[in-house]
Amino acid sequence: MHWKRYGTIAVALIVLLGGAYAFWLGRQSAELPAGIVSSNGRIEAERIDVAAKLPGRIAEVRVSEGQWVEAGDLVAHMDTAEIDAQLRQAQAAVTQAEQQKLQTEALLNQRLSEQEFAQAEFARAEQLAAKGHVPQELVDQRRATLITADAGVAAARAGIDLATATIASAEATVERLQSIRADAELVAPHRGRVQYVLAKAGEVVGAGGRVVTLTDLTDIYMTIFLPARDAGLLAIGAEARIVLDPIPDYVVPAQVTFVASSAQFTPKSVETADERDQLMFRVKLTIPADLLEEYQQQAKAGVAGVGYVRVDDTVDWPDALQVKLPQ
């Protein structure tokens, strides 16, 4: 029977807390002028995962949670012993191909010299044969020698083309391995604060395995939920205000940058006006980037507060919601 008693107490607490929350919301709404509405929310920031492109072992993690990093800073790097060996092998292949090309070029020069001599000998033999000083057989021999020399030149030129293609292939392999080697250096794609270190040195991660999560403190916003009657009046770009629980004396300016196109909560049937009011739409209030730049050391995600939006731009903000920032 104890569980029944505890259940009754739990239900009573829920009802009590719900009533208190409803009273608080009603009081907040009553204090706001018509045209300005509010809702609870929590500061959020875009997260950026720094992940391994290829599977491998983590050699070192260079950051710790809470650390500020700039774009391009080294966050961690993977073990590269195997890829370094492959890269050295590919670079040696490039050198070998270049030497082969030099040898083929030297061979071509030799074949060109032989061709030139064969041409001269053939021309001389033809002249002498025309005067009857040498037999036709010698002319035929000189012609065969020239044909052989021409073939040698063609083969040497083809060898140069082959050597050039071999160099290009070897250099492409080097570039591919250098790209893989570069991917082993995990760098921050954007400035921000390290939110989580998800892997340690010595761990093996798969392709796409997350190593570090960054918080982009240049894109901070509060998500609130408004009923359909208020969300329907909102325009993208409408002015907003944010008051955070830890610093209730300050009012942070913001802007409506997103209004959901569909309700986040929909009753089973929507037939009356009261039921339509239960439709809640997600709204995003974004803090200006220049303000975040100025207060980047104080900015952090997860802080709860209240978001205020102006659904009627002809209404002035009350004194309590005039922008007020820490000095």
Side-chain angles (χ1 to χ4, degrees):
M1 299 299 291
H2 292 293
W3 65 272
K4 291 184 178 180
R5 183 174 62 186
Y6 293 149
T8 302
I9 294 174
V11 171
L13 286 174
I14 291 173
V15 172
L16 180 62
L17 291 173
Y21 178 67
F23 173 77
W24 181 85
L25 281 180
R27 183 178 177 184
Q28 290 292 108
S29 300
E31 294 174 353
L32 293 174
I36 297 177
V37 296
S38 67
S39 177
N40 286 339
R42 188 176 299 275
I43 292 294
E44 301 177 41
E46 292 297 330
R47 293 181 177 178
I48 304 170
D49 290 326
V50 182
K53 183 177 180 179
L54 298 172
R57 186 182 304 277
I58 299 173
E60 182 184 12
V61 177
R62 300 285 294 273
V63 296
S64 56
E65 292 181 352
Q67 180 178 337
W68 180 267
V69 295
E70 297 290 339
D73 284 354
L74 182 63
V75 172
H77 64 88
M78 311 294 290
D79 180 68
T80 58
E82 181 178 355
I83 194 67
D84 286 342
Q86 294 177 5
L87 184 57
R88 289 193 297 271
Q89 182 180 14
Q91 290 169 336
V94 171
T95 302
Q96 182 180 7
E98 290 173 343
Q99 292 300 316
Q100 288 175 343
K101 183 177 181 180
L102 290 175
Q103 291 176 355
T104 307
E105 288 173 343
L107 179 62
L108 175 61
N109 291 331
Q110 179 183 348
R111 295 291 183 259
L112 287 172
S113 178
E114 293 173 351
Q115 182 188 48
E116 184 179 358
F117 179 76
Q119 286 174 339
E121 287 292 296
F122 175 67
R124 188 179 298 110
E126 279 190 321
Q127 291 175 358
L128 292 174
K131 296 177 181 180
H133 296 310
V134 297
Q136 184 63 35
E137 181 182 359
L138 182 62
V139 175
D140 295 339
Q141 289 176 352
R142 295 292 186 266
R143 181 182 291 110
T145 302
L146 178 58
I147 292 173
T148 302
D150 290 342
V153 169
R157 284 176 173 160
I160 290 177
D161 292 340
L162 177 60
T164 301
T166 302
I167 291 172
S169 176
E171 288 176 340
T173 301
V174 169
E175 291 176 2
R176 178 178 62 82
L177 293 173
Q178 286 175 335
S179 176
I180 295 174
R181 178 66 172 77
D183 288 335
E185 304 294 319
L186 307 184
V187 298
H190 198 284
R191 63 186 310 206
R193 198 180 304 281
V194 178
Q195 185 76 11
Y196 303 111
V197 176
L198 303 171
K200 302 294 184 181
E203 293 185 22
V204 176
V205 297
R210 295 180 300 165
V211 179
V212 171
T213 297
L214 304 177
T215 299
D216 179 6
L217 296 180
T218 63
D219 187 5
I220 291 183
Y221 55 91
M222 173 179 279
T223 297
I224 62 174
F225 292 87
L226 295 177
R229 64 175 181 275
D230 296 328
L233 299 174
L234 272 181
I236 301 297
E239 287 189 14
R241 298 288 188 266
I242 294 174
V243 178
L244 301 174
D245 291 351
I247 48 172
D249 295 333
Y250 297 106
V251 180
V252 181
Q255 189 178 55
V256 175
T257 55
F258 173 81
V259 179
S261 58
S262 57
Q264 304 299 305
F265 169 73
T266 307
K268 291 182 179 180
S269 60
V270 180
E271 298 176 357
T272 68
D274 290 340
E275 288 174 337
R276 288 194 294 273
D277 283 343
Q278 296 179 41
L279 297 172
M280 303 299 289
F281 289 78
R282 183 166 66 92
V283 178
K284 184 177 177 181
L285 312 180
T286 301
I287 300 174
D290 56 346
L291 185 63
L292 293 171
E293 179 73 21
E294 184 178 354
Y295 292 95
Q296 67 179 12
Q297 295 302 327
Q298 291 81 16
K300 55 180 65 66
V303 180
V306 180
Y308 300 85
V309 293
R310 191 166 63 175
V311 296
D312 183 354
D313 58 9
T314 64
V315 176
D316 293 329
W317 289 101
D319 292 340
L321 290 178
Q322 294 297 325
V323 175
K324 182 180 180 183
L325 300 171
Q327 299 299 320

